[in-house]
Amino acid sequence: MKKILIVLVLVGHSVSAQFTDINIIKEVKVRNKGVVVSAHPLASEAGAKVLKMGGNAYDAAIATQYALAVVYPQAGNIGGGGFLVGVKNNGEKFTLDYRETAPKKASRDMYVDKNGKADTDLSQNGRLAVGVPGSIAGFYATLPYCKLPMETLIQPAIDLAEQGFAVTQLEADFLNKHKEAFQKHNHSPITFVKNEPWKEGDLLIQKELAETLKLIQKFGAKGFYEGKTAQLIVAEMKRGNGIISLEDLKNYKVAERKALEFKYKDNDIVSMPLPSSGGTLLAQMLKMSSLEKIENYQQNSAPAVQIMVEAERRAYADRAEYMGDPDFIQDKTSYLISDEYLKNRWKSFSFNKATPSAEVGKIINPSKESTQTTHISILDKDGNAASITTTLNGYYGSKVVVSGAGFFLNNEMDDFSIKPGVPNMFGAVGGEANAIQPNKRMLSSMTPTILLKNGKPYMVVGTPGGTTIPTSVFQSIVNVVDFKVNANTSVNAPKFHHQWLPETIKVEKNFPESTIKELKSKGYTFESVDHIGKTEMILIDNNGNIQAVADGRGDDSVAIE
Ligand code: GLY
């Protein structure tokens, strides 16, 4: 457990700053209490605070997301978008899609230069990389499921922005690492850049963001999508090559979509449908693994990893070919997750050797992989569950802060296939289904998921990590359901990832050497990476205890009601 304690001293008098005690809590076991797990202790506490005030899981979802936008600027946001999967204690399921959209002026080849080359710098950095933000509309679409008013739910974030909070070592490191990019993409000074390097315990105060949040508190969603904030966003676009207009902002709409539901053994799984590929990939991977009786093996053993990698390979090849915004393409999900299709897809599997990726999809050169985004898992004392993944896409999104409004804008346009066949920042290769069109949502990997037994939520899970999201959620579920490990081992044991292209299996540094050696002898190749995802899991175990686990890979933390 880490504790940062500082006292803020101003000239003439001393003030004990409210948000300088940072207590990171990695695991709790409780009964009959609401729990919130998120990427930052102060955000989890904001969620728990509204639970204590009588709010439910959806109140906590809004308060935690607003707070993350302040204390976790690398991914928490009001300038990005996300997905919420909810299961109420009466069994009612719903999803909210507040994914960003392409601006009206966007076009298929907007990132392709005159030589026919895709310019990934333009789709990843600066104003042209920005999709129309959906988060604030998403919070307002969540409100009908809540018990408390928005003015109350936004207040913890306003306090955090106004009074400041002590940055953690990890956030300080990230801010320092991105200083040059912040300076390159912002024309006026921003609060995230200072002369000296950031260090643990430094106070980050965001006055402009506090004012923006107050406008939202006063005017509702219009405080963001119209009026001063909208004008500041459009003015920011005009400081460079941005194309978002006042009309784009005013016209942004949340989509309430039917949850993707499927059965896995004795679990009912509820996850996000398109435009996130997450739920579909999860269903495909779980169902293919069960064809090979995955439950007969151990976590991270060679046969288990081989089965799961081959399921991942086949699912990600389908992602590239078939998946995109269902409002613009024919949605083939029910066919892709059908037993008949998957049995056929699995026929080429052999324990003797790796299946070449060329055999399951058309090969195109891939590139690098990154890990961003953020996830929140919540279960309230009445059994309502919320699983939310939200993102700016890359760390600090486009790196552009809206001048006068104080928040980062996303770089979500890079999640489109900017030129079909050219990989995005996650190395994912997309096809025509995910080509850019005005008002279209870009394909996502976010996989907020809830598992039910006997009609009641018993696992709430999700993670950041770009294209590694579905494979991490897949492992987290198999670890518990098939390998019978507890929530902590499921979340914190080393992970692996395969996504069809590149052929390589990514493994975390402490991955078992014996498994790597055995699979290398069958033709698999490996790449070692620092970490994969940051999974937040809440699990009600067989004894009725709630195990809430915040991933050990970051500042992630649990808060209890
Ligand atoms: N930008 C990451 C995702 O949507 O999957």
Side-chain angles (χ1 to χ4, degrees):
M1 198 196 292
K2 185 159 61 178
K3 191 171 169 88
I4 306 174
L5 183 62
I6 62 169
V7 177
L8 177 66
V9 181
L10 298 177
V11 180
H13 62 287
S14 70
V15 187
S16 180
Q18 220 184 319
F19 304 115
T20 49
D21 285 0
I22 311 277
N23 291 309
I24 295 177
I25 300 169
K26 287 297 180 194
E27 184 180 10
V28 297
K29 285 197 181 122
V30 284
R31 290 178 88 95
N32 306 320
K33 287 255 181 215
V35 283
V36 179
V37 195
S38 84
H40 197 285
L42 293 171
S44 300
E45 279 169 25
K49 186 174 172 180
V50 303
L51 291 179
K52 281 184 196 138
M53 292 165 76
N56 63 17
Y58 312 109
D59 291 289
I62 294 176
T64 309
Q65 285 176 94
Y66 271 128
L68 278 175
V70 180
V71 299
Y72 195 62
Q74 58 181 270
N77 68 81
I78 60 170
F83 299 113
L84 182 150
V85 172
V87 179
K88 291 167 63 175
N89 58 4
N90 63 4
E92 185 191 333
K93 296 147 194 134
F94 65 100
T95 79
L96 298 173
D97 164 0
Y98 40 103
R99 183 70 162 163
E100 298 91 327
T101 53
K104 195 172 164 199
K105 278 197 184 145
S107 57
R108 187 184 187 282
D109 293 330
M110 62 189 278
Y111 300 111
V112 180
D113 67 20
K114 58 182 185 314
N115 302 316
K117 203 170 160 300
D119 186 340
T120 49
D121 185 40
L122 275 185
S123 64
Q124 291 172 13
N125 300 300
R127 292 156 186 79
L128 196 60
V130 185
V132 183
S135 290
I136 295 297
F139 303 165
Y140 277 89
T142 310
L143 209 48
Y145 298 94
C146 295
K147 289 162 82 179
L148 301 177
M150 189 62 98
E151 300 86 76
T152 306
L153 304 176
I154 199 171
Q155 192 60 47
I158 294 174
D159 295 342
L160 284 161
E162 226 165 27
Q163 297 172 31
F165 63 96
V167 299
T168 62
Q169 184 65 56
L170 282 178
E171 191 68 54
D173 292 346
F174 274 112
L175 288 168
N176 293 333
K177 189 173 161 193
H178 290 89
K179 181 175 180 175
E180 218 172 281
F182 294 159
Q183 286 172 322
K184 179 174 172 191
H185 291 290
N186 292 283
H187 304 315
S188 26
I190 60 169
T191 188
F192 305 98
V193 172
K194 55 190 188 104
N195 292 337
E196 300 302 315
W198 288 94
K199 54 185 190 328
E200 181 180 25
D202 283 353
L203 210 58
L204 174 56
I205 295 173
Q206 299 171 75
K207 293 281 185 210
E208 287 185 349
L209 177 56
E211 290 313 309
T212 303
L213 294 173
K214 283 182 192 169
L215 285 175
I216 297 165
Q217 191 178 42
K218 187 164 177 198
F219 298 112
K222 285 187 178 172
F224 184 89
Y225 291 101
E226 296 179 40
K228 185 178 168 194
T229 311
Q231 282 157 12
L232 289 171
I233 294 172
V234 172
E236 194 55 61
M237 291 289 114
K238 291 189 174 144
R239 278 185 201 104
N241 48 5
I243 54 173
I244 293 177
S245 66
L246 287 174
E247 190 193 355
D248 285 323
L249 290 164
K250 198 171 170 186
N251 288 342
Y252 181 85
K253 296 258 173 330
V254 172
E256 187 144 358
R257 301 189 187 275
K258 190 177 171 322
L260 180 65
E261 294 180 57
F262 60 95
K263 226 172 162 63
Y264 181 62
K265 299 180 180 170
D266 57 349
N267 303 276
D268 292 307
I269 300 193
V270 185
S271 192
M272 197 64 213
L274 292 176
S276 184
S277 59
T280 309
L281 294 178
L282 182 64
Q284 289 189 299
M285 295 184 295
L286 285 168
K287 288 181 174 201
M288 280 190 268
S289 307
S290 69
L291 292 173
E292 216 54 58
K293 300 214 175 314
I294 190 76
E295 67 277 10
N296 289 345
Y297 303 96
Q298 270 95 47
Q299 183 181 14
N300 288 344
S301 64
V305 173
Q306 185 176 13
I307 293 166
M308 293 170 80
V309 158
E310 292 299 343
E312 292 170 4
R313 189 194 306 274
R314 287 157 178 79
Y316 276 76
D318 285 354
R319 179 192 197 273
E321 181 150 6
Y322 300 113
M323 300 183 205
D325 181 344
D327 297 339
F328 285 74
I329 60 157
Q330 201 196 341
D331 185 348
K332 296 195 167 70
T333 304
S334 46
Y335 171 64
L336 293 173
I337 67 171
S338 67
D339 293 344
E340 187 196 353
Y341 173 76
L342 293 170
K343 268 186 201 150
N344 205 35
R345 200 84 173 106
W346 197 244
K347 272 187 185 150
S348 53
F349 172 79
S350 161
F351 271 120
N352 297 332
K353 63 174 181 58
T355 310
S357 283
E359 277 182 20
V360 300
K362 191 175 144 233
I363 291 286
I364 312 147
N365 276 335
S367 72
K368 64 182 175 18
E369 173 94 13
S370 316
T371 52
Q372 294 90 17
T373 302
T374 190
H375 180 80
I376 307 161
S377 291
I378 305 174
L379 186 68
D380 69 25
K381 66 174 179 341
D382 298 319
N384 300 297
S387 189
I388 309 114
T389 316
T390 174
T391 188
L392 287 168
N393 196 20
Y395 292 107
Y396 309 100
S398 60
K399 320 291 185 286
V400 176
V401 174
V402 179
S403 190
F407 60 89
F408 282 103
L409 289 166
N410 67 82
N411 63 345
E412 217 72 59
M413 289 297 285
D414 189 59
D415 271 352
F416 279 115
S417 21
I418 57 169
K419 183 180 175 195
V422 173
N424 70 1
M425 65 191 297
F426 301 105
V429 181
E432 284 299 336
N434 189 31
I436 305 173
Q437 281 178 256
N439 304 320
K440 188 176 177 182
R441 285 156 149 87
M442 52 296 279
L443 184 64
S444 172
S445 298
M446 294 190 279
T447 317
T449 299
I450 299 172
L451 272 65
L452 284 72
K453 238 182 225 161
N454 307 320
K456 298 270 178 218
Y458 88 98
M459 186 198 288
V460 187
V461 65
T463 179
T467 44
T468 69
I469 294 173
T471 59
S472 286
V473 173
F474 170 42
Q475 285 170 77
S476 303
I477 293 172
V478 170
N479 289 344
V480 171
V481 172
D482 295 296
F483 304 143
K484 311 285 180 213
V485 303
N486 63 20
N488 198 345
T489 308
S490 175
V491 165
N492 287 311
K495 290 211 165 70
F496 60 91
H497 169 75
H498 190 273
Q499 59 178 50
W500 170 58
L501 294 177
E503 295 256 3
T504 311
I505 304 171
K506 290 179 193 300
V507 284
E508 290 188 304
K509 288 215 160 75
N510 47 352
F511 204 76
E513 275 304 325
S514 55
T515 297
I516 294 175
K517 193 168 165 217
E518 191 173 334
L519 291 180
K520 273 186 177 168
S521 74
K522 295 182 177 190
Y524 292 92
T525 55
F526 288 84
E527 181 193 337
S528 174
V529 292
D530 283 342
H531 68 263
I532 296 175
K534 286 195 276 164
T535 305
E536 323 292 16
M537 181 184 283
I538 301 171
L539 176 69
I540 305 181
D541 64 25
N542 293 336
N543 303 318
N545 295 315
I546 299 168
Q547 303 174 13
V549 173
D551 200 306
R553 295 164 180 85
D555 295 325
D556 312 53
S557 190
V558 183
I560 316 170
E561 178 179 5

